[in-house]
Amino acid sequence: MSPIYLDHAATTPIDPEVLQIMVETYQQVVGNPSSIHSFGRQARKIVDESRHTIAKYIGARSREIVFTSGGTEGDNIAILGTAFANSDKGKHIITTKIEHHGVLKTCAYLETQGFTIDYLDVDRTGRISLEELKSKLREDTILVSIMFGNNEVGTIQPIHEIAHLLADHQAYFHTDVVQAFGTADMDVKDTPIDLMSMAGHKIGGPKGIGFLFVRDGLSLQAYTHGGDQERKRRAGTENVPAIAGLARAVEKVGEHFHERIDNCLHARQIILETLDEEKVTYKINGNPDHFLPQVLNLYFPGTNVETLLTKLDLAGVAVSSGSACTAGSVEPSHVLTAMFGERAPETVSSIRVSFGDLIDEDQIREAGRIIAASVRDLVSLRKAGEVL
Ligand SMILES: Cc1ncc(COP(=O)(O)O)c(C=O)c1O
């Protein structure tokens, strides 16, 4: 049996059409977009058209899109760029305990630079409280960074409410949409979001490319220094083939939006049905009403996550313990810790199963059976006294 890949929240396989466009761009487009000759102009045209496609999809203007190398860089530019550019207005920032490390570690760095960061708690479903946000907001708050949908448990935050709450405040609102892009509605015309970071490799696009939406008029200080690319917000020659691929991947999200959601929900249902049929004890970590359809985080009492992941890998099922960046480390997930508390059993006995836009029902059912059998084995070994 060929291995079954259910780790799309870590990264997705590249869409063949996206790959085709990238190959053609590599083969046919020689120039540097900054060159004024015809080769350069040809490359510039691709970058401009791609920017336009992406901007249109999120309801932005072309000039509000900055190409980046992905989610981490987008988070860094958004947070460092606005913190340093606006420090005369205050040095207070609010984020949450469940952000991706691209946000959390950037905030931790800012703490060493004299900024004060408040980290919002989440409830047992992974949602922040708007009341807590209101109570932490200060006159000198310059930035609020709250992710759209969580990469480990899939919980979606009340982004529209947060954006409207902040609309009359000086604080900019940044949201990391790396996981949510593709299965959640986002339009910066309707929702007063100031900064939004995304990555191509979660939607069938290439790895190492993404964009940051930066609302017009916002003060942002570049932290890469060099050329004047991206309106001086991100120096360096643009990755033209990846940008062309990213634009096509975004376009395809728009073309297959509902189908993609339905496929993920269907896959999720198959896994849950199979676990029920196999009479395995489990609980879903996340919010029952506000969740990303592609992320399913499951708690299996009596298992150890690392042993379970290894067993599943050997049995041909690729899932994960959380974000790709923390997978492989022995640290319990900071997201599950924020939801359930230090040393809660959920933090050491949960796995993340995540789906892509194309699903193979038989494969997913088979994966469900393998997960059930592996869990049963581990639980019975534990009951028999073998500590795992
Ligand atoms: C929510 C979130 N933000 C940021 C990132 C980092 O994105 P990238 O890998 O493109 O740097 C990830 C990647 O898993 C993510 O899930």
Side-chain angles (χ1 to χ4, degrees):
M1 186 192 81
S2 53
I4 304 171
Y5 185 73
L6 293 180
D7 198 14
H8 292 81
T11 196
T12 51
I14 193 144
D15 180 289
E17 221 184 293
V18 169
L19 179 61
Q20 180 65 27
I21 283 173
M22 290 177 69
V23 170
E24 283 168 15
T25 312
Y26 268 118
Q27 287 168 335
Q28 295 164 17
V29 182
V30 175
N32 183 320
S34 299
S35 302
I36 55 163
H37 47 60
S38 62
F39 294 91
R41 289 200 308 275
Q42 184 195 18
R44 164 69 43 212
K45 185 161 179 279
I46 289 180
V47 173
D48 288 348
E49 285 172 359
S50 301
R51 202 188 300 280
H52 176 73
T53 300
I54 292 167
K56 194 164 147 219
Y57 181 70
I58 62 163
R61 300 178 186 90
S62 285
R63 60 176 183 266
E64 294 175 315
I65 303 297
V66 178
F67 289 116
T68 65
S69 65
T72 304
E73 192 188 355
D75 290 342
N76 272 262
I77 298 180
I79 296 168
L80 298 179
T82 53
F84 289 123
N86 297 281
S87 58
D88 57 326
K89 296 188 209 140
K91 288 189 136 192
H92 180 242
I93 292 172
I94 301 176
T95 186
T96 80
K97 291 185 177 165
I98 61 159
E99 298 299 308
H100 188 270
H101 284 134
V103 168
L104 287 179
K105 292 196 179 175
T106 308
C107 287
Y109 166 70
L110 283 177
E111 283 178 298
T112 69
Q113 302 300 305
F115 289 82
T116 304
I117 319 284
D118 267 318
Y119 297 88
L120 300 180
D121 284 316
V122 291
D123 64 18
R124 288 176 70 84
T125 75
R127 291 263 279 185
I128 63 139
S129 134
L130 286 171
E131 289 312 309
E132 193 194 0
L133 171 58
K134 275 185 216 159
S135 74
K136 292 273 161 60
L137 207 54
R138 308 189 327 204
E139 249 174 50
D140 65 340
T141 308
I142 50 168
L143 175 69
V144 174
S145 177
I146 297 180
M147 71 197 323
F148 202 117
N150 183 266
N151 46 304
E152 293 192 33
V153 295
T155 300
I156 296 178
Q157 301 300 337
I159 293 300
H160 304 278
E161 290 86 337
I162 298 168
H164 286 289
L165 175 73
L166 295 172
D168 296 327
H169 192 283
Q170 69 161 4
Y172 292 144
F173 178 38
H174 165 243
T175 184
D176 172 331
V177 298
V178 170
Q179 281 306 328
F181 198 94
T183 52
D185 259 326
M186 53 198 65
D187 189 320
V188 296
K189 230 188 297 132
D190 298 341
T191 311
I193 293 168
D194 297 304
L195 300 131
M196 190 166 102
S197 33
M198 88 67 90
H201 68 110
K202 311 287 183 180
I203 56 161
K207 295 173 182 41
I209 189 77
F211 71 83
L212 174 69
F213 159 74
V214 182
R215 193 172 287 285
D216 250 359
L218 182 152
S219 316
L220 184 94
Q221 184 177 306
Y223 79 95
T224 47
H225 304 280
D228 289 347
Q229 291 92 348
E230 301 301 297
R231 294 175 174 259
K232 301 189 183 172
R233 293 166 296 188
R234 201 260 190 175
T237 300
E238 299 89 341
N239 185 343
V240 182
I243 287 173
L246 176 69
R248 183 61 194 129
V250 168
E251 227 170 24
K252 287 196 81 166
V253 161
E255 288 162 12
H256 301 284
F257 187 72
H258 295 290
E259 196 186 321
R260 190 188 184 94
I261 293 175
D262 289 347
N263 282 347
C264 290
L265 288 174
H266 186 46
R268 180 183 173 95
Q269 192 192 348
I270 294 175
I271 293 283
L272 296 178
E273 271 172 16
T274 312
L275 293 177
D276 290 339
E277 279 160 22
E278 300 278 331
K279 304 205 175 357
V280 171
T281 305
Y282 70 90
K283 206 188 72 190
I284 301 174
N285 296 321
N287 188 286
D289 303 313
H290 307 282
F291 64 89
L292 298 174
Q294 73 271 32
V295 177
L296 175 60
N297 196 300
L298 296 165
Y299 164 50
F300 295 109
T303 63
N304 168 284
V305 57
E306 285 175 23
T307 321
L308 180 55
L309 288 182
T310 311
K311 204 167 166 54
L312 290 173
D313 186 33
L314 290 172
V317 176
V319 294
S320 134
S321 63
S323 69
C325 312
T326 51
S329 84
V330 286
E331 290 292 305
S333 142
H334 68 282
V335 175
L336 295 174
T337 301
M339 287 165 66
F340 300 107
E342 297 266 351
R343 283 185 282 279
E346 286 87 349
T347 63
V348 288
S349 305
S350 301
I351 61 167
R352 177 186 70 184
V353 184
S354 54
F355 313 105
D357 52 352
L358 294 176
I359 62 157
D360 175 331
E361 289 194 18
D362 292 338
Q363 266 202 347
I364 290 176
R365 215 172 291 283
E366 181 60 13
R369 282 194 284 265
I370 294 173
I371 294 172
S374 306
V375 168
R376 253 198 316 264
D377 277 359
L378 293 188
V379 173
S380 54
L381 280 174
R382 174 164 284 230
K383 279 191 186 141
E386 287 199 32
V387 179
L388 291 169

